[in-house]
Amino acid sequence: MESVSDVVVETKNLTKTYRDFWGRQKVRALKALDLQVKRGEIFGLLGPNGSGKTTTIKLLLGLLFPTSGEVNILGRPASDVAKNERLGYLPEESYLYRFLNAEETLDFYGRLFNIPAAVRKQRVAQLIQMVGLESAKKRQLREYSKGMTRRIGLAQALINDPDLILLDEPTSGLDPIGTRNMKNLILQLKEQGKTVIMSSHLLGDVQDVCDRVGVLYQGELKELGRVEDLLKIVEQTEIRVDGLSDEAKRKIEKIVEEDKANLIFCGNPTTSLEDLFHDIIAESEAHPGKRVRGGEKA
Amino acid sequence: MIIENPIPPYLEWIGMAALNWLISVGALAALFSLIALVFLTIRKGPKQAVPAFVGGVRGALEDLFKFSWRRAFAIASLAIRESIRKKVVVVCVVFLALLMFAGWFLDPSGKDPARLCASFVYQSTTYLVLLLAIFLSALSLPADFKTKTIYTIVTKPVRSSEIVLGRIIGLATVGTAILALMAVCSYFFVSNTLNHKHVLVDGEDVKAVEGVAEDWSTLAPETVVASGETRLANGHKHKVEVFADGTARVVEENKHAHTIERIVEDDKTLYKVGSAVGALQAKTPVYGKIKFRGENGFEKERGINVGEEWEYRSYVAGSTEEAVIWTFDNITPERFPEGLPVEMTISAFRTHMGNIEKTVMGALYVRNPKTGLTAETNVFNSEKYATKALFVEREIDQEKNKVRVRTLKKTGDESTFDPVLTTADLKQTGEKYDLFEDFVVDGKLEIWLQCLDSQQYFGAAEPDLYLRAQDANVFANFFKGYLGLWQQMVILISFGVLFSAFLSGPVAMAATFGILIAGFSKNFFVEIARLEALGGGPIESFNRLVTHENMMSDLSNTFATQLIKAFDAVSGVFLSVIGLALPSFSDYNFYADCVANGYDVPWNAVAVHMTTTASFAIPLFVVGYAILRNREVAK
Ligand SMILES: Nc1ncnc2c1ncn2[C@@H]1O[C@H](COP(=O)(O)OP(=O)(O)OP(=O)(O)O)[C@@H](O)[C@H]1O
Ligand SMILES: [Mg+2]
């Protein structure tokens, strides 16, 4: 049995209907969401554009008031300011002050947590290094590219060393290295025992890091469960072998045939594009200069 | 200087003011609660409305107790940085350019150039700073909403109270810095415009006075031995007098004089006129309480109305027992060691002109308020509205000053009095009187003003006669004059931030601008609300406007008229409540008037207005954060 305090976020029957100025109903963005996220978990909110992911996160943060239902976050109602002490939030797009530079930005948000100046200075430096913005830390954010803005946004969300981190599409706008870093970081946060809730419509991202996912479609929760369980295709088997002879390959094909099963694929497996890209980068960094395609070893 | 509504001493004022404030704030709180309840009932249904309202109020109170100055200052410094990086400084440059342009058009050759210049700079800074305050405050929070940066703010442990106060403090700091900069520029502009020199060619412009002995050393040192006029500069010339002891003086003209330097070269003595002095002044008037004495000797609050529509001044008839009486407090030899410098602006009203050139004669008396001992200290001629500077000597002579005892004697039925003027109880002939010993009791002294010409009248209001204490520092006073503008700015910023907590940028700006306009004509606004204005309430006047009806005529008693009047009555109640929340911006003209007319800005006024400023800023801040707190941020 898990104790109640293990539940970091809980929603009951959470519903949001956007209304226009006259109170007329416009969009039912979220319909009766029941959700529990436990301590130390990485929870993914999946869904196509406009399915209600951002709406859910805003409701959790108290940025939106629910039409009905309840939110309990870190043991408090969403409208309680005190919940923010232990919370970090990376918005969908980084909404930061464009006239500040990276250092000033982090320092400002640090001050909002009443972090003492010395600690703040150290944390700011550490975070800037972590998100890889050292060379641009004195430049105003108005000059930043989208990915750089995203990185400083992430650093901003971690300024208070939060226990619960809400990331709205953390990988949007990031290059593959950035994406990989982001995923590694999320896993690191998990190792530190933190809870992460992230939204995304990129299956790959969610698959790589999340323990559990919920799939939203048009404001309704369609699927909820552990990633392995969701991704496991029970009817299929994949065999990957290194250095198999053609002889052995034929034997396997035969066995499959005898079992009256249907061979979908048997051959050299391909890596995902993302993996390939990373291999290339990693290799380029190790051996600078022109890279020869096709794997002929020099 | 005309002061129609004198500012009462702080301690006298604060009691009533606090009470009025509590009533106003209470009324407004009730109105806001009502609106909030109605709103909640529509949104959440009647059952949920009250608990939601109570919850909101409790949360707002909690925000007050958990307020953190450090976070508020973080927000404030952000606002400051924003203003700097968004180049608000440009406004100051515009101002400087404006001053330089105006320098070409302002004509310093008028009768009172100091007043012209000072009024000009105060007015132009007022417009600029207040417009800037509206821009800064009404646009700052909406910009946060528009760029959604507010999302990253309110998801930190910041309370809306800290956001709102931080904004107000930050913007007020920016405003203050700009105001200070403008004040410094203005000071240099004014002193530069006023300063000028006159050429004085020795031997040509100054000539020896005829009939004066050749050897000046035999003469009394203050004898004028030579005189003349300077050359023209800034449209005027000054008389110059050289005294027997070799010193010289430049006579005042256009409210200023000049330094004059004596240069001895070989056996020749030259005089050189230096920079202007006394153009800007900071006189410190000590005001008394006014009352009037009627023909039969009765004291009364007002004198005669000579038929002027403006009831500011009240008149006494010449060559009668009538007098204007000022009673002064705290008159001590320490404050006025030499005697009493009196300045006055008296209005003379003539029932017959006679000799147009001839002025009206008047006299000043000092009177012991207890014994009635009275001395005639000064006799003077008055032009219409001339400011006169007189000096009441400390030593008073029985003969020269016609010392008498002025009292009232009860007659007959004890309800009528006769004015009595006796020489009983006087000192022995030849003995001198001392102003402070013989005329001042417990620091109190009466100064009487009488008109000596029959069928002519003197009119005065309380601020028209005052004692002139030690002048204040002109430089400091110039900046003190900007305190009024500073206060207006703070009030306006508070309004702007309040509006921007729930309105979009342009709408908030329009609303704040509306407050500025309504604040400058608050009295008229209140008149309309109370249905005291000519032409009736808002709808009635509008009706008169479109039907081309004049303001005075009675409207025909139809149902429509009744309806209009009823509607005006109801809206009048609402407007009155809003009127309570309106600052009276025209009050702050007082500061510029003081400096322009050469008076020290009294600290009492500053204290009263500062308190008033706080009385606006605090409730506005509370309402602002209560609204922000209950606003759905991600709407
Ligand atoms: N402020 C708003 N007013 C009205 N409707 C809104 C508002 N914000 C979102 N919606 C609607 O609510 C629905 C859910 O929007 P939401 O932003 O939560 O989607 P999302 O899952 O985050 O999509 P995306 O992947 O594009 O970020 C959409 O239909 C959207 O149009
Ligand atoms: Mg979204």
Side-chain angles (χ1 to χ4, degrees):
Chain A
M1 279 301 295
E2 70 223 5
S3 74
V4 187
S5 66
D6 266 353
V7 177
V8 177
V9 172
E10 185 172 31
T11 70
K12 280 184 196 144
N13 195 26
L14 191 61
T15 303
K16 178 68 190 179
T17 308
Y18 287 105
R19 291 175 188 278
D20 66 6
F21 180 77
W22 307 108
R24 288 178 306 196
Q25 185 168 323
K26 247 182 7 190
V27 192
R28 292 185 65 197
L30 196 63
K31 297 166 197 162
L33 178 70
D34 289 309
L35 204 64
Q36 277 199 345
V37 179
K38 298 189 192 70
R39 186 174 303 282
E41 199 173 33
I42 301 184
F43 185 86
L45 270 175
L46 262 173
N49 293 136
S51 56
K53 303 183 296 289
T54 301
T55 303
T56 308
I57 289 179
K58 283 180 182 169
L59 283 165
L60 296 184
L61 287 164
L63 287 173
L64 286 173
F65 300 158
T67 310
S68 65
E70 277 175 39
V71 175
N72 191 304
I73 179 163
L74 294 165
R76 294 168 191 274
S79 57
D80 191 341
V81 184
K83 74 172 194 306
N84 296 338
E85 291 281 358
R86 311 287 334 127
L87 189 138
Y89 165 52
L90 171 67
E92 203 167 8
E93 281 160 43
S94 298
Y95 305 125
L96 302 169
Y97 290 98
R98 289 158 52 80
F99 54 84
L100 296 180
N101 66 34
E103 268 185 334
E104 289 166 342
T105 303
L106 296 185
D107 188 68
F108 167 65
Y109 287 110
R111 286 173 75 181
L112 296 187
F113 284 99
N114 268 344
I115 300 174
V119 183
R120 214 160 62 214
K121 203 171 166 210
Q122 185 201 333
R123 276 204 71 77
V124 168
Q126 183 195 335
L127 283 169
I128 285 183
Q129 199 215 335
M130 190 191 88
V131 297
L133 284 174
E134 278 152 311
S135 55
K137 66 182 179 188
K138 297 279 184 208
R139 284 166 64 191
Q140 287 187 23
L141 299 199
R142 69 172 90 241
E143 301 170 1
Y144 273 28
S145 71
K146 186 164 183 220
M148 290 162 84
T149 318
R150 211 70 200 130
R151 287 159 191 252
I152 187 70
L154 176 70
Q156 164 274 136
L158 299 177
I159 187 77
N160 59 329
D161 192 20
D163 293 337
L164 171 65
I165 300 129
L166 298 168
L167 305 171
D168 199 351
E169 310 210 354
T171 55
S172 86
L174 289 180
D175 58 19
I177 327 164
T179 308
R180 170 62 60 92
N181 288 345
M182 176 68 82
K183 287 190 211 164
N184 288 341
L185 183 90
I186 294 171
L187 292 172
Q188 257 174 37
L189 291 172
K190 179 190 160 75
E191 269 167 36
Q192 291 164 22
K194 309 200 182 271
T195 315
V196 178
I197 298 177
M198 58 179 278
S199 85
S200 185
H201 49 249
L202 300 176
L203 279 157
D205 297 350
V206 177
Q207 177 188 341
D208 290 349
V209 294
C210 292
D211 300 318
R212 270 190 333 135
V213 291
V215 181
L216 282 173
Y217 184 69
Q218 294 189 346
E220 276 177 291
L221 189 64
K222 295 288 184 191
E223 188 77 79
L224 183 69
R226 302 198 63 76
V227 176
E228 306 103 5
D229 302 346
L230 290 179
L231 292 184
K232 198 184 286 168
I233 310 169
V234 194
E235 307 85 38
Q236 292 187 7
T237 312
E238 197 178 59
I239 303 169
R240 274 189 203 195
V241 189
D242 204 6
L244 196 67
S245 67
D246 284 354
E247 173 75 6
K249 244 190 226 168
R250 271 195 296 279
K251 273 184 192 163
I252 291 170
E253 273 171 25
K254 218 167 165 189
I255 294 169
V256 173
E257 226 167 272
E258 277 169 14
D259 200 31
K260 294 215 164 66
N262 185 15
L263 184 73
I264 297 170
F265 167 83
C266 187
N268 302 67
T270 54
T271 120
S272 70
L273 179 65
E274 202 186 325
D275 286 341
L276 177 71
F277 189 86
H278 283 294
D279 289 348
I280 296 170
I281 298 285
E283 207 181 307
S284 307
E285 278 179 356
H287 310 279
K290 194 169 185 275
R291 184 172 175 273
V292 189
R293 238 223 85 108
E296 299 132 326
K297 304 267 167 353
Chain B
M1 195 171 79
I2 289 155
I3 304 172
E4 283 197 76
N5 302 305
I7 298 163
Y10 191 80
L11 292 176
E12 265 171 43
W13 168 81
I14 186 71
M16 255 333 258
L19 190 69
N20 274 336
W21 184 78
L22 284 176
I23 293 171
S24 307
V25 167
L28 289 171
L31 184 74
F32 273 113
S33 309
L34 197 72
I35 293 172
L37 273 172
V38 170
F39 185 79
L40 283 171
T41 313
I42 294 169
R43 276 286 147 94
K44 303 206 165 184
K47 267 192 192 151
Q48 297 272 297
V50 175
F53 178 72
V54 172
V57 171
R58 184 184 299 148
L61 285 178
E62 199 185 299
D63 271 5
L64 267 197
F65 287 107
K66 299 201 175 156
F67 187 88
S68 150
W69 282 105
R70 284 169 69 184
R71 283 196 290 260
F73 283 132
I75 301 272
S77 62
L78 181 81
I80 294 169
R81 239 191 216 134
E82 180 168 11
S83 312
I84 295 171
R85 304 245 163 118
K86 288 190 174 167
K87 315 215 164 44
V88 181
V89 193
V90 174
V91 177
C92 306
V93 177
V94 170
F95 174 72
L96 284 179
L98 199 81
L99 273 190
M100 274 151 62
F101 270 116
W104 286 333
F105 299 112
L106 267 191
D107 178 16
S109 60
K111 278 272 163 249
D112 197 346
R115 184 162 160 183
L116 183 73
C117 283
S119 301
F120 169 75
V121 291
Y122 278 103
Q123 231 155 60
S124 46
T125 37
T126 300
Y127 292 134
L128 253 135
V129 168
L130 293 187
L131 284 181
L132 186 77
I134 293 177
F135 264 98
L136 282 177
S137 60
L139 294 183
S140 73
L141 262 179
D144 270 17
F145 275 95
K146 210 169 158 200
T147 58
K148 299 185 178 169
T149 40
I150 191 85
Y151 290 10
T152 51
I153 302 285
V154 295
T155 51
K156 305 285 182 282
V158 188
R159 292 172 189 277
S160 32
S161 49
E162 292 152 1
I163 298 180
V164 171
L165 193 64
R167 285 274 160 188
I168 295 179
I169 292 175
L171 298 172
T173 310
V174 173
T176 308
I178 290 174
L179 183 59
L181 195 74
M182 287 186 180
V184 171
C185 296
S186 305
Y187 185 79
F188 283 112
F189 171 78
V190 169
S191 50
N192 208 34
T193 312
L194 294 182
N195 200 10
H196 60 276
K197 286 180 179 167
H198 295 268
V199 174
L200 189 68
V201 182
D202 216 57
E204 264 181 55
D205 293 336
V206 182
K207 297 228 166 67
V209 176
E210 271 175 47
V212 169
E214 284 280 310
D215 187 6
W216 294 352
S217 55
T218 60
L219 299 170
E222 68 271 10
T223 321
V224 177
V225 292
S227 71
E229 255 185 349
T230 66
R231 298 281 162 100
L232 198 70
N234 274 13
H236 64 275
K237 294 174 177 177
H238 291 268
K239 282 206 175 67
V240 176
E241 292 171 338
V242 178
F243 302 101
D245 60 0
T247 58
R249 177 173 88 103
V250 177
V251 179
E252 188 182 294
E253 188 67 50
N254 284 5
K255 305 217 165 174
H256 70 275
H258 287 265
T259 57
I260 187 159
E261 203 185 340
R262 180 165 70 147
I263 304 161
V264 184
E265 263 175 23
D266 306 328
D267 55 342
K268 264 178 78 184
T269 309
L270 298 174
Y271 290 94
K272 203 174 157 213
V273 176
S275 50
V277 286
L280 276 180
Q281 286 189 311
K283 296 189 239 177
T284 313
V286 175
Y287 293 108
K289 283 252 169 299
I290 198 171
K291 61 190 178 190
F292 293 82
R293 188 180 154 100
E295 54 198 312
N296 53 1
F298 278 126
E299 283 177 3
K300 47 186 187 176
E301 261 181 46
R302 291 191 65 76
I304 301 168
N305 186 338
V306 293
E308 282 179 358
E309 203 184 323
W310 191 34
E311 293 189 343
Y312 180 62
R313 293 197 170 88
S314 183
Y315 288 77
V316 289
S319 188
T320 66
E321 277 297 319
E322 294 186 6
V324 193
I325 305 171
W326 282 271
T327 311
F328 292 91
D329 277 326
N330 276 328
I331 304 299
T332 58
E334 288 74 37
R335 277 176 98 189
F336 302 99
E338 310 285 321
L340 300 178
V342 176
E343 286 197 6
M344 59 182 189
T345 309
I346 300 300
S347 149
F349 178 84
R350 301 167 153 202
T351 52
H352 64 88
M353 280 304 177
N355 181 353
I356 273 261
E357 294 285 300
K358 201 173 159 267
T359 51
V360 182
M361 291 264 280
L364 271 197
Y365 305 83
V366 290
R367 179 177 180 268
N368 182 322
K370 202 164 157 204
T371 63
L373 189 72
T374 307
E376 183 185 276
T377 51
N378 307 73
V379 177
F380 59 91
N381 287 313
S382 173
E383 296 100 38
K384 197 171 172 69
Y385 297 131
T387 300
K388 279 229 171 304
L390 304 172
F391 196 80
V392 176
E393 302 281 349
R394 194 168 167 172
E395 192 184 87
I396 287 167
D397 184 87
Q398 186 151 300
E399 295 303 309
K400 206 178 99 200
N401 297 115
K402 300 178 189 150
V403 177
R404 302 281 185 278
V405 175
R406 258 179 210 266
T407 45
L408 288 174
K409 197 180 82 192
K410 284 184 187 140
T411 55
D413 57 354
E414 303 266 310
S415 66
T416 53
F417 297 87
D418 258 349
V420 186
L421 201 61
T422 65
T423 50
D425 306 326
L426 291 188
K427 291 190 181 177
Q428 294 212 301
T429 350
E431 260 186 76
K432 298 282 184 200
Y433 290 83
D434 179 75
L435 179 68
F436 293 103
E437 270 169 34
D438 299 312
F439 291 87
V440 178
V441 205
D442 302 333
K444 278 196 194 329
L445 173 75
E446 282 180 7
I447 292 187
W448 289 35
L449 168 78
Q450 282 190 322
C451 176
L452 300 181
D453 289 346
S454 68
Q455 291 179 336
Q456 313 288 35
Y457 294 79
F458 269 170
E462 193 164 275
D464 280 344
L465 183 143
Y466 55 84
L467 308 181
R468 191 170 161 187
Q470 175 72 46
D471 278 8
N473 183 316
V474 171
F475 183 75
N477 192 45
F478 190 86
F479 289 95
K480 219 154 110 194
Y482 275 104
L483 283 178
L485 176 52
W486 185 85
Q487 295 169 22
Q488 280 169 288
M489 180 191 80
V490 169
I491 294 178
L492 210 55
I493 286 178
S494 306
F495 269 105
V497 171
L498 161 65
F499 287 135
S500 72
F502 64 102
L503 297 173
S504 70
V507 182
M509 209 153 88
T512 319
F513 196 72
I515 291 287
L516 180 66
I517 301 294
F520 267 118
S521 44
K522 172 169 176 168
N523 293 338
F524 183 57
F525 187 89
V526 172
E527 255 178 37
I528 292 179
R530 292 198 187 135
L531 309 181
E532 284 163 1
L534 227 49
I539 311 280
E540 188 183 329
S541 345
F542 184 71
N543 182 42
R544 284 178 194 268
L545 203 69
V546 291
T547 55
H548 302 279
E549 191 72 60
N550 69 47
M551 302 226 288
M552 305 291 282
S553 63
D554 284 331
L555 294 176
S556 56
N557 193 12
T558 61
F559 177 67
T561 316
Q562 299 276 340
L563 198 69
I564 285 172
K565 293 210 162 160
F567 197 88
D568 276 350
V570 175
S571 67
V573 174
F574 270 95
L575 288 178
S576 303
V577 175
I578 295 171
L580 290 177
L582 270 185
S584 181
F585 281 139
S586 47
D587 286 357
Y588 295 91
N589 292 343
F590 174 71
Y591 288 76
D593 282 352
C594 275
V595 178
N597 288 297
Y599 292 98
D600 182 44
V601 176
W603 283 114
N604 177 60
V606 176
V608 166
H609 285 140
M610 280 293 178
T611 311
T612 311
T613 304
S615 79
F616 275 100
I618 292 168
L620 289 172
F621 151 65
V622 172
V623 176
Y625 90 69
I627 290 177
L628 185 63
R629 183 173 202 288
N630 295 299
R631 174 177 177 178
E632 198 172 18
V633 171
K635 196 67 184 206

